[in-house]
Amino acid sequence: MSAVSYAKLSEVALLNPTLGGRLPDDDLVSFVPMASLSAETARIETTQDRPYSEVSKGFTPFLSGDVLVAKITPCFENGKIAQALLPQRNGFGSTEFHVVRARPNVSDARYLHHYLRLDTVRTEGQRRMTGSGGQRRVPASFLSDLRVPLPPLEEQRRIAAILDQAETLRTQRRQALAHLDTLTQSLFLEMFGDPVANDRGWQDSLTLGEVADIASGVTKGRNLEGKVTRELPYLAVANVQDKSLRLDGIKSIDATEEEIQRYLLRKNDLLLTEGGDPDKLGRGTLWNDELPECIHQNHIFRVRLTTELLTPLFLNWLVGSPRGKKYFLRSAKQTTGIASINMTQLKGFPLLVPPLPLQQTFATRIQAIEALKATHRAALTQLDALFASLQQRAFAGEL
């Protein structure tokens, strides 16, 4: 492409087309709920075959090959935009979809799909949202007026094929990471058995409070008037993920030297969130001196082992295992979909204590798998950067 010409999306695609007539009631159609769209892979992961009579009212119609664009927040911002490659010709789905159908001999659906997923397009769509709170939506007028670079059809297909190949490489890396995650789960069960039933008969008479020093963290908004403080990073709930840390959005807080000494994290401290969604109870990870100095806020528990009966890594996995989830769900205070645990409940967590050499072998194997995952993540980061560059060049006429 040399000179880039543009057209409105409404000129090169049909937007939110109707079905155009009824189908026989017993015709099978593909049903696509919003949850079926993967923002990560930009694909529809699952569909359901349903008779037309079940979905003919109250759902959005589309055809296999159409592009679905989630219009409601936060689905749009998260990138839930995918081409509907369906088992059946006709599909129905959430009313929160916009449907984009490429016009034959004018535009290519894969080309439009990649264009709609551009960060610049999604950022502008987010800016144009209407409504308030959790009901903000991308209006149809945004898509209708969207200016799309429009090379000849064969050139569109060539560009789409290049971006598809790059996307496939990213998907393969993600799949490799998912397989390694599955491997670690299988390894835990293989080495230690069912942690709920304790079918290996491990020692189970100790509680977490008997083998660890457990502390809450610093409270935001406390009165520091007249006190000497200094600023340093602190971990909030969003930074503590399941067996990983997210430090890209870490914030800082002012604290006194006494507070810093009290809350300063040490290598192999186990960090556990006190609550959130019920399925997140027991979510935690180990601190590995990722920063020279760091403390944690009061919605995170710091668990520091005071015994050599357990390794920190095994404890992390045990707390996050079905044994931990079952205990915390039974013990937690739950209100309106939010669950939380307190210090007393955490201290009462019933441990399993397999032989230390077995725990150490588990740690060695997990570390080897984590090294492989780090390699895949680094490669995925490079592929993500390459894909973003290809996107920008493709739609600027430079590919």
Side-chain angles (χ1 to χ4, degrees), residues 101-252:
R101 181 175 301 163
R103 291 183 184 272
N105 303 318
V106 176
S107 60
D108 177 77
R110 293 300 300 162
Y111 176 85
L112 296 180
H113 170 257
H114 284 296
Y115 186 72
L116 290 168
R117 287 185 58 80
L118 272 173
D119 285 345
T120 52
V121 172
R122 287 161 53 195
T123 299
E124 181 61 17
Q126 183 178 351
R127 192 185 68 80
R128 288 276 302 276
M129 279 182 163
T130 59
S132 60
Q135 299 300 310
R136 286 168 50 79
R137 293 177 174 85
V138 176
S141 60
F142 165 72
L143 292 179
S144 178
D145 296 338
L146 185 65
R147 296 177 72 246
V148 180
L150 197 71
L153 190 58
E154 285 305 311
E155 182 70 7
Q156 294 179 44
R157 290 170 178 159
R158 185 185 72 84
I159 290 170
I162 292 172
L163 294 176
D164 281 346
Q165 289 173 359
E167 186 62 69
T168 296
L169 293 175
R170 298 166 79 203
T171 299
Q172 289 171 345
R173 287 290 182 181
R174 293 192 190 99
Q175 289 172 341
L177 283 166
H179 289 323
L180 289 172
D181 283 338
T182 301
L183 177 60
T184 55
Q185 298 289 341
S186 300
L187 181 63
F188 181 84
L189 295 175
E190 176 188 325
M191 294 185 68
F192 303 110
D194 182 347
V196 176
N198 190 18
D199 52 0
R200 305 286 174 88
W202 308 126
Q203 177 187 347
D204 62 358
S205 59
L206 293 173
T207 62
L208 185 57
E210 295 176 281
V211 301
D213 174 49
I214 303 174
S216 184
V218 67
T219 301
K220 292 177 62 180
R222 66 209 183 286
N223 186 3
L224 293 173
E225 187 175 352
K227 297 181 179 180
V228 178
T229 64
R230 64 184 174 92
E231 188 179 26
L232 76 166
Y234 79 101
L235 295 181
V237 171
N239 301 119
V240 178
Q241 301 296 305
D242 183 24
K243 301 181 184 66
S244 68
L245 284 169
R246 182 179 294 165
L247 299 179
D248 52 346
I250 194 166
K251 297 179 181 179
S252 297

Side-chain angles (χ1 to χ4, degrees), residues 273-282 299 325 328-342 345:
T273 58
E274 73 171 14
D277 295 336
D279 65 340
K280 300 295 193 300
L281 288 173
H299 296 299
K325 294 185 184 302
F328 292 129
L329 280 173
R330 185 174 68 245
S331 306
K333 177 183 177 181
Q334 299 195 40
T335 56
T336 61
I338 301 298
S340 61
I341 56 173
N342 58 35
Q345 292 161 343

Side-chain angles (χ1 to χ4, degrees), residues 31-48:
F31 184 73
V32 182
M34 182 65 73
S36 293
L37 260 69
S38 167
E40 188 172 69
T41 64
R43 296 182 181 181
I44 293 173
E45 300 289 348
T46 57
T47 62
Q48 306 163 15

Side-chain angles (χ1 to χ4, degrees), residues 258-307:
E258 181 199 358
E259 290 174 324
I260 292 171
Q261 292 307 310
R262 187 192 317 163
Y263 301 125
L264 194 65
L265 295 173
R266 299 180 192 169
K267 184 178 175 64
N268 285 325
D269 281 347
L270 176 59
L271 305 168
L272 299 172
T273 58
E274 73 171 14
D277 295 336
D279 65 340
K280 300 295 193 300
L281 288 173
R283 182 181 80 182
T285 192
L286 295 176
W287 179 254
N288 194 35
D289 286 344
E290 282 82 358
L291 298 171
E293 279 189 318
C294 189
I295 61 178
H296 59 107
Q297 74 167 154
N298 60 320
H299 296 299
I300 296 170
F301 293 112
R302 185 266 294 152
V303 180
R304 184 174 294 161
L305 283 170
T306 57
T307 178

